[in-house]
């Protein structure tokens, strides 16, 4: 998720009452909720799409969950002592307890991978013990409805606290509503993936049309992705693929749907990309990509893209060019 969402989650946990456990609790929660994103520093030394193979890995895994909060708690504790020695420590600040600082930094840090798992980008939750990617396919990476809920609840809780009212209850209610919202979205994704599995079989397998329905013959191994979209949280962008060929579902009505290929024109998936290569850009892309397919470049070469992020306005951010590989058109590009 985006860093505003991470920050609001940390702040809301504090407003639920935990900020009264120790001095500097809110910085521990808010900074802790963003701490795994220190891997964004990789943009300073990695080129092109190499960052795709580095992000959401080692700093989002179990070792980082323990060590990053420990580092943050030590820095905050040292900062408090440094202010006290200089006579600059605010009088209103609660006494700082290192154990509580660490516990809150750890809690904030754990919310980060939990939220990152919810979108289609993916996260390597077990790094460095395993490089497997996990996908929740539940929320769009920037969810404005979650922003509105968390932002309003944080503001309302702070306002009540300033006026001497009950300020913990609004935060706790907002956390419960936020969890329910995530649960509803998970249910929508599950329902849409079941719907998409039927269309994947229709698109990739043998079928016989009978009236408005289908009689299907034989299972088809195809991956189905229900991709959340911006703003309309109740909708999903359904796509399904197999062997480097990805189709996107288009519907005129709920019962009148068809699948069209992603990429135009598309190519056979190049054999040279399988296994180890000496191209660091290609290696990083293939390690990260969940739905790769090959598209013909204007010069007849190949561009590898990912179906999850096939957007004409930003697709170069998630693609790698293979100028020395010739595009071989699919024998049967239509579903």
């Amino acid at each position: 998720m985006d860093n505003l969402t991470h920050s609001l989650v940390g702040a809301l946990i504090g407003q639920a009452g935990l900020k009264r456990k120790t001095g500097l609790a809110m910085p521990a929660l808010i900074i802790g909720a963003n701490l795994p994103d220190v891997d964004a520093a990789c943009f300073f030394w990695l080129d092109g799409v190499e960052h795709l193979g580095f992000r959401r890995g080692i700093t989002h895994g179990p070792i980082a969950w323990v060590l990053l909060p420990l580092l943050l708690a030590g820095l905050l504790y040292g900062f408090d002592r440094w202010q006290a020695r200089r006579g600059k420590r605010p009088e209103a600040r609660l006494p700082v307890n290192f154990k509580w600082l660490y516990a809150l930094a750890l809690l904030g840090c754990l919310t980060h991978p939990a939220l990152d798992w919810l979108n289609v980008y993916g996260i390597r939750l077990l790094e460095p013990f395993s490089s497997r990617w996990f996908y929740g396919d539940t929320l769009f990476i920037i969810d404005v409805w979650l922003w509105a809920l968390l932002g309003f609840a944080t503001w309302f809780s702070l306002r009540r606290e300033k006026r001497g009212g009950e300020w913990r209850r609004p935060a706790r209610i907002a956390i419960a509503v936020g969890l329910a919202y995530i649960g509803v979205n998970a249910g929508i994704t599950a329902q849409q993936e079941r719907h998409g599995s039927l269309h994947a079989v229709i698109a990739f397998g043998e079928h016989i049309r009978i009236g408005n329905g289908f009689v299907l013959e034989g299972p088809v191994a195809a991956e189905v992705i229900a991709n959340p979209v911006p703003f309309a949280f109740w909708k999903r962008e359904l796509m399904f693929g197999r062997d480097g060929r990805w189709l996107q579902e288009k519907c005129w009505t709920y019962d009148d749907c068809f699948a069209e290929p992603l990429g135009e024109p598309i190519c056979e998936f190049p054999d040279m990309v399988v296994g180890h290569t000496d191209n660091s850009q290609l290696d990083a892309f293939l390690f990260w990509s969940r739905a790769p397919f090959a598209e013909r470049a204007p010069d007849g070469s190949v561009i590898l893209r990912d179906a999850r992020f096939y957007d004409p306005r930003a697709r170069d951010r998630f693609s790698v060019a293979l100028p020395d590989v010739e595009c071989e058109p699919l024998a049967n590009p239509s579903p």
Side-chain angles (χ1 to χ4, degrees), residues 35-40 42 46 50-65 68 109 112-113 116-117 121-134 287-288:
L35 208 50
D37 275 346
V38 295
D39 61 359
C42 72
L46 296 179
E50 289 180 357
H51 66 93
L52 296 176
F54 184 81
R55 294 294 311 275
R56 294 202 180 185
I58 187 67
T59 64
H60 290 62
I63 293 178
W65 302 346
L68 289 177
C109 186
H112 189 107
D116 278 0
W117 169 74
Y121 190 99
I123 181 173
R124 303 198 305 278
L125 282 170
L126 303 179
E127 196 75 61
F129 306 109
S130 169
S131 294
R132 176 188 171 188
W133 289 87
F134 294 85
F287 174 65
W288 162 82

Side-chain angles (χ1 to χ4, degrees), residues 67-96:
L67 295 183
L68 289 177
L70 186 62
L71 177 62
L72 175 59
L75 290 173
L76 291 174
Y77 188 79
F79 174 72
D80 182 72
R81 291 295 183 91
W82 175 76
Q83 281 192 315
R85 286 196 302 269
R86 292 176 51 120
K88 302 281 187 181
R89 189 181 190 281
E91 293 183 4
R93 180 185 297 163
L94 294 172
V96 172

Side-chain angles (χ1 to χ4, degrees), residues 48-303:
V49 298
E50 289 180 357
H51 66 93
L52 296 176
F54 184 81
R55 294 294 311 275
R56 294 202 180 185
I58 187 67
T59 64
H60 290 62
I63 293 178
W65 302 346
V66 176
L67 295 183
L68 289 177
L70 186 62
L71 177 62
L72 175 59
L75 290 173
L76 291 174
Y77 188 79
F79 174 72
D80 182 72
R81 291 295 183 91
W82 175 76
Q83 281 192 315
R85 286 196 302 269
R86 292 176 51 120
K88 302 281 187 181
R89 189 181 190 281
E91 293 183 4
R93 180 185 297 163
L94 294 172
V96 172
N97 181 293
F98 181 82
K99 290 181 180 179
W100 268 112
L101 268 186
Y102 177 65
L104 296 178
L106 175 61
L107 176 60
C109 186
L110 290 176
T111 66
H112 189 107
L115 287 169
D116 278 0
W117 169 74
L118 292 175
N119 51 62
V120 298
Y121 190 99
I123 181 173
R124 303 198 305 278
L125 282 170
L126 303 179
E127 196 75 61
F129 306 109
S130 169
S131 294
R132 176 188 171 188
W133 289 87
F134 294 85
Y135 311 94
D137 299 349
T138 300
L139 298 180
F140 189 67
I141 195 168
I142 297 176
D143 191 303
V144 295
W145 305 108
L146 209 53
W147 276 4
L149 170 65
L150 302 179
F152 175 79
T154 301
W155 168 80
F156 190 69
S157 176
L158 287 168
R159 182 170 174 266
R160 273 202 170 183
E161 181 182 14
K162 186 176 180 181
R163 297 184 175 185
E166 170 51 55
W167 50 274
R168 297 171 181 84
R169 184 175 172 81
R172 293 171 182 174
I173 291 174
I175 290 173
V177 172
L179 291 173
Y181 174 76
I182 291 171
V184 168
N185 275 274
I188 293 171
T189 292
Q191 187 275 331
Q192 288 293 304
E193 285 179 345
R194 287 192 297 270
H195 174 70
S197 295
L198 173 65
H199 284 269
V201 175
I202 294 169
F204 288 111
E206 297 179 357
H207 62 272
I208 303 172
R209 184 184 292 270
I210 300 178
N212 292 327
F214 291 92
V215 175
L216 308 174
E217 297 180 352
V220 174
E223 182 176 1
V224 178
I225 299 175
N227 195 1
V229 299
F231 304 109
F233 70 87
W234 57 92
K235 292 184 178 180
R236 296 295 182 270
E237 194 176 62
L238 272 179
M239 53 190 67
F240 28 88
R242 183 184 65 174
D243 301 328
R245 180 185 177 205
W246 283 85
L247 309 173
Q248 185 176 41
E249 182 183 84
K250 302 288 186 180
C251 294
W252 298 111
T253 66
Y254 183 81
D255 295 320
D256 185 9
C257 297
F258 64 96
E260 67 176 20
L262 277 171
E264 186 61 39
I266 49 180
C267 317
E268 294 286 353
F269 206 71
D271 292 335
M272 57 81 63
V273 304
V274 179
H276 179 74
T277 75
D278 57 358
N279 184 330
S280 61
Q281 301 285 319
L282 178 57
D283 285 341
F285 178 85
L286 291 175
F287 174 65
W288 162 82
S289 183
R290 178 185 181 187
F293 69 94
E295 185 179 43
R296 184 183 185 277
D299 62 1
S301 64
V302 170
I303 300 176

